[in-house]
Amino acid sequence: MCHAALETDGKFTEFSLPNPGSGPTTIAIAPDGTLWFTEGTGNRIGRMAPDGTGIKEYDLPNAGSSPRIIAVGSDKNLWFTEHLGNRIGRITPAGVLSEFTIPTPNCQPRAIALGADGNLWFGEFTGNKIGRVAPDGKITEFAIPTPDSGPRAIAAGPDGNLWFSEFNASKIARITPRGVITEFELPRPNSGPGDITTGADGNLWFVELSGRADGRQVDGNRVARMTPAGKVTEFPIPSPMGSPINIAVGPDRNIWYTKQSKLGRVTPEGVITEFDIPTANGGATGLDRGQRPAAAGSPDR
């Protein structure tokens, strides 16, 4: 049966968290519809219902872990990176936490995504590796050919591979389930590729950051599309201030991105519309598909 894409009217509903300064960073929707999110500065994992009720928070056992990206695993648990804790975390729907130490020390794990092989894949920003973690917690690492490439984000591709951005190298790369990596250079040498997702059109879509980030001055402020063959098209973002951070496919099958106090929508043809978020200087980051695209505010991904 074919279902029509949902329309989005640009209206926002905001939900306050119990602890000020908790730094909600990214969000994922569990199979039962509950929303799970990381609290980067609060050092917690949070959960709530889609209507904002039933908020529950889980403290991480190690201080300063800085949970960053969260994703649903093939085991229906939630998996997340501990950016400064050098661990991959797992939390069950009942709130039971497990942590797995990454072999490479101080590698700053950042993004994590479920692969078609049933494993979770993650990027090591300073470790310059892509990691694979099995549902039992076993971790395998694969070195990226370009030194100091800065893998920033990763997503399951339409071809059964994983695709990731190399922030420092201005490249997008593909890794097969066996760990074979292929890299594609972007048109501009300092474009700062960041978060990446697979669009409803079967292409890879990613944001290009703008300004100072992770010790680099980048000249992005674009949303870009890459075919599985590596052809890139870039679309300039109309608002000049701020930097795009996260990207996701919306229920309307368009691409959506977060950018400081704005949420942007991109059609498959590259037409961009931006919506102002009610909270001033909201610093929106995390984004996931739901009945409405959901954003959470915090420092950049």
Side-chain angles (χ1 to χ4, degrees):
M1 179 181 294
C2 180
H3 296 276
L6 296 177
E7 294 297 327
T8 306
D9 58 12
K11 295 180 180 179
F12 292 83
T13 303
E14 297 178 301
F15 306 99
S16 297
L17 297 181
N19 295 289
S22 57
T25 307
T26 56
I27 193 165
I29 302 176
D32 64 357
T34 56
L35 310 179
W36 290 76
F37 50 93
T38 56
E39 297 183 22
T41 54
N43 208 49
R44 292 179 290 265
I45 301 298
R47 181 192 71 194
M48 72 178 188
D51 63 359
T53 62
I55 294 177
K56 188 171 179 59
E57 296 171 305
Y58 303 91
D59 292 320
L60 296 186
N62 297 285
S65 294
S66 187
R68 199 64 168 257
I69 314 302
I70 190 166
V72 179
S74 59
D75 56 0
K76 311 305 180 187
N77 294 316
L78 283 299
W79 292 74
F80 56 94
T81 55
E82 297 184 20
H83 186 60
L84 299 181
N86 213 62
R87 292 176 289 266
I88 299 298
R90 181 185 67 202
I91 187 167
T92 70
V96 179
L97 277 161
S98 301
E99 294 177 307
F100 307 96
T101 300
I102 299 169
T104 300
N106 304 314
C107 69
Q108 292 189 5
R110 203 163 210 153
I112 189 168
L114 176 63
D117 60 353
N119 296 311
L120 278 299
W121 292 73
F122 61 93
E124 301 178 12
F125 189 74
T126 56
N128 205 50
K129 297 175 182 177
I130 296 298
R132 181 184 67 204
V133 56
D136 64 0
K138 180 182 178 181
I139 293 175
T140 306
E141 297 172 298
F142 304 93
I144 297 171
T146 300
D148 189 31
S149 66
R152 188 179 179 93
I154 191 167
D159 53 0
N161 298 311
L162 281 297
W163 290 73
F164 60 95
S165 59
E166 299 182 20
F167 178 74
N168 294 337
S170 286
K171 296 179 180 179
I172 297 295
R174 177 185 68 213
I175 183 169
T176 69
R178 292 179 176 269
V180 178
I181 295 175
T182 304
E183 297 173 299
F184 302 90
E185 291 191 10
L186 297 181
R188 295 174 301 105
N190 203 30
S191 55
D195 199 19
I196 186 169
T197 192
T198 295
D201 60 356
N203 294 311
L204 285 306
W205 289 77
F206 56 97
V207 294
E208 296 178 354
L209 278 65
S210 180
R212 191 77 178 170
D214 291 315
R216 297 178 64 86
Q217 187 74 24
V218 291
D219 179 23
N221 203 36
R222 293 166 171 84
V223 174
R225 178 184 66 211
M226 175 180 277
T227 68
K231 181 181 178 181
V232 177
T233 306
E234 296 176 306
F235 305 99
I237 293 174
S239 57
M241 304 302 293
S243 178
I245 298 298
N246 285 148
I247 193 169
V249 179
D252 55 1
R253 298 174 64 83
N254 291 314
I255 296 295
W256 290 76
Y257 64 87
T258 53
K259 185 187 182 189
Q260 200 164 327
S261 59
K262 295 182 183 295
L263 191 65
R265 180 184 66 206
V266 190
T267 69
E269 297 76 29
V271 178
I272 296 177
T273 305
E274 293 186 312
F275 303 91
D276 291 328
I277 296 173
T279 301
N281 301 316
T285 59
L287 193 69
D288 202 356
R289 176 175 177 162
Q291 290 300 309
R292 296 182 178 89
S298 185
D300 82 2
R301 182 170 182 167

